[in-house]
Amino acid sequence: MAAGLRLLLAGLCWSQFRVEDAAPSPSPPAPVRCELLEGGGRGGTLPGGGKARPALLRFGGDTGTPPEPGPEPEVTFNVSDPWGALTPLGVPPRAPPRCELNPTKPQTGSAPWSRPLHPDARSPTTAGGQWWLAAVGTPQYSVTALLQGEMGTEGATAAAVSLAVLTHTPTLRGRVGSPIHLHCAFAAPPSPFVLEWRHQSRGAGRVLLAYDSATARAPRATPGAELLLGTRDGDGVTAVTLRLAEPAPGDEGTYICSVFLPHGHAQTVLQLHVFEPPKVTLSPKNLVVAPGTSAELRCHVSGFYPLDVAVTWQRRSGGSRTSRSAGDTVVDTWTSGHRRAADGTYSRTAEARLVPARPQHHGDVYTCVVTHTALTKPMRVSVQLLLAGTEGPRLEDITGLFLVAFVLCGLICWLSPTAARPKEDTKKLQ
């Protein structure tokens, strides 16, 4: 049994930590404009279509704060939200949050690890009332909440948050091989719960991790996927963050954090984008060309993700400081297709054939310029063309030699003061 437990928990660990950014706001948050979708809701744990009616969510009994400009709401929900989960906590949105409300009939879920959760006195079959699923989000915050209440007769409805699943990382980027945290937490009254983390990409899905709080076991755990489990004392917020130890390009995609309680379940969605900047090498490193000979340059770009990369050539003539398009000094250019490595990154090679070298090409600098989404600015790798057998120093070389000779002359005069005296003075001394 112990051996089996160790096997189930492979790749799973948890640590206690405080979710400081989930503290309730000191004052009631501003009301949020919403769309109440009726007649076509999915009745599930994610928002879905239907006829839209303008609605308004008000919190904490606030009735005086005006909402953002918009259509007159047909329905107002006075929401009791003890955890402040339905507002972007601590992150003022640059634009009004998007919000959808769907009528729903919550269920405990059909996953095999959620079946031990037996409905209790708060379950929909015994608690009565109407239920809605609210989805509120900004680029920095996203939450899905299960609301219970009664539709009012005068356009006002009292509703209470029964369960809220939230994330502060609805969209995040991670570098290949560097640990990344996909934040998720849920707010609910004390209760046994079951957690499920699912990954979906290119039409395929798989469960990465499942955890049962009643048994403190993980019936499903994928190596490299770790659970960071923590609670805040007394406020009912539980962190269930997923840590990917070494994300690879194949880990990019959609992540669904689902929480199952005896009285219902909800989930929130995260998008992970993985990137890796390219490595660039230019060959040959020493470009010495005989007069009348055509040289070839090869720029190899490797280890990058995603696959969108651009390679261009630039040239700076020997006496210029400005790089321009290689233009008339390049006979032909071509680029290979993408090659995928075992770790999921890509590589490709760009080549350029130069015109036959002439004396005026001596000292020209050719640069391979690589642009990629993982780079803050293009990468540049250069090589200088030297014409074999070219006679006569360049102006820069002459200037440098003159300066060296001037310095050496002054040094000799300083070290040997008698060498600088006239011959007559030298004879007098004798």
Side-chain angles (χ1 to χ4, degrees):
M1 182 66 179
L5 178 60
R6 285 196 297 270
L7 178 62
L8 286 173
L9 294 180
L12 173 69
C13 70
W14 61 75
S15 61
Q16 297 295 324
F17 67 99
R18 295 182 62 86
V19 190
E20 298 295 344
D21 54 2
S25 302
S27 59
V32 173
R33 288 193 176 276
C34 217
E35 287 188 340
L36 177 60
L37 304 179
E38 296 179 332
R42 299 175 187 172
T45 56
L46 288 176
K51 180 182 178 181
R53 299 172 58 193
L56 188 68
L57 303 184
R58 288 192 174 274
F59 307 97
D62 176 35
T63 59
T65 305
E68 295 287 337
E72 186 68 22
E74 297 181 16
V75 181
T76 297
F77 287 80
N78 296 316
V79 180
S80 172
D81 182 13
W83 308 285
L86 278 176
T87 55
L89 306 178
V91 183
R94 298 178 180 176
R98 66 186 187 278
C99 177
E100 286 187 3
L101 273 169
N102 286 268
T104 187
K105 294 181 180 179
Q107 302 173 356
T108 56
S110 58
W113 30 82
S114 67
R115 290 171 187 168
L117 291 173
H118 299 292
D120 59 16
R122 294 163 295 165
S123 65
T125 56
T126 57
Q130 293 179 278
W131 295 77
W132 295 269
L133 196 70
V136 183
T138 70
Q140 299 84 19
Y141 182 85
S142 180
V143 57
T144 303
L146 195 59
L147 305 182
Q148 180 190 18
E150 291 288 349
M151 182 68 76
T153 57
E154 299 180 358
T157 298
V161 175
S162 177
L163 166 65
V165 182
L166 58 95
T167 178
H168 286 277
T169 56
T171 302
L172 67 166
R173 301 175 76 234
R175 186 166 178 175
V176 173
S178 299
I180 189 168
H181 294 76
L182 288 80
H183 172 262
C184 183
F186 71 93
S191 169
F193 70 90
V194 170
L195 168 72
E196 178 186 281
W197 272 101
R198 177 179 291 272
H199 174 226
Q200 292 183 344
S201 178
R202 300 177 182 178
R206 60 180 178 136
V207 176
L208 291 179
L209 188 145
Y211 174 75
D212 182 359
S213 71
T215 61
R217 294 183 178 181
R220 178 69 60 86
T222 302
E226 304 170 353
L227 175 63
L228 303 181
L229 179 66
T231 59
R232 285 197 56 175
D233 297 336
D235 68 357
V237 177
T238 302
V240 287
T241 294
L242 180 70
R243 179 181 184 270
L244 300 180
E246 296 182 355
D251 294 323
E252 189 173 60
T254 301
Y255 287 79
I256 302 175
C257 174
S258 301
V259 176
F260 302 86
L261 298 180
H263 60 281
H265 72 289
Q267 57 194 29
T268 192
V269 177
L270 300 82
Q271 295 291 334
L272 173 62
H273 302 281
V274 178
F275 70 92
E276 183 65 21
K279 304 174 184 65
V280 182
T281 56
L282 181 60
S283 59
K285 294 183 178 180
N286 299 312
L287 185 60
V288 181
V289 184
T293 302
S294 178
E296 290 187 0
L297 299 175
R298 174 176 295 182
C299 185
H300 184 59
V301 187
S302 62
F304 59 89
Y305 188 88
L307 58 79
D308 296 326
V309 67
V311 183
T312 57
W313 294 96
Q314 291 184 351
R315 166 182 169 264
R316 175 169 56 85
S317 59
S320 173
R321 295 184 178 182
T322 304
S323 295
R324 299 177 180 176
S325 173
D328 56 358
T329 62
V330 174
V331 176
D332 194 14
T333 62
W334 61 94
T335 305
S336 70
H338 288 88
R339 298 178 292 273
R340 189 163 189 173
D343 63 357
T345 60
Y346 294 94
S347 65
R348 70 185 314 184
T349 302
E351 298 188 23
R353 181 181 299 156
L354 308 183
V355 298
R358 298 183 177 88
Q360 63 266 30
H361 298 149
H362 181 73
D364 287 357
V365 175
Y366 288 88
T367 302
C368 171
V369 183
V370 177
T371 305
H372 187 260
T373 184
L375 299 172
T376 55
K377 61 181 181 179
M379 290 187 68
R380 307 170 62 90
V381 182
S382 303
V383 65
Q384 187 176 43
L385 186 150
L386 300 177
L387 200 64
T390 300
E391 297 181 357
R394 292 164 27 187
L395 177 61
E396 294 87 346
D397 298 333
I398 295 174
T399 304
L401 291 173
F402 176 78
L403 291 175
V404 171
F406 182 79
V407 172
L408 288 176
C409 181
L411 183 63
I412 291 173
C413 291
W414 181 72
L415 294 175
S416 305
T418 57
R421 294 178 180 178
K423 293 183 179 180
E424 293 77 5
D425 294 342
T426 303
K427 291 180 179 180
K428 289 179 181 182
L429 291 173
Q430 293 177 348

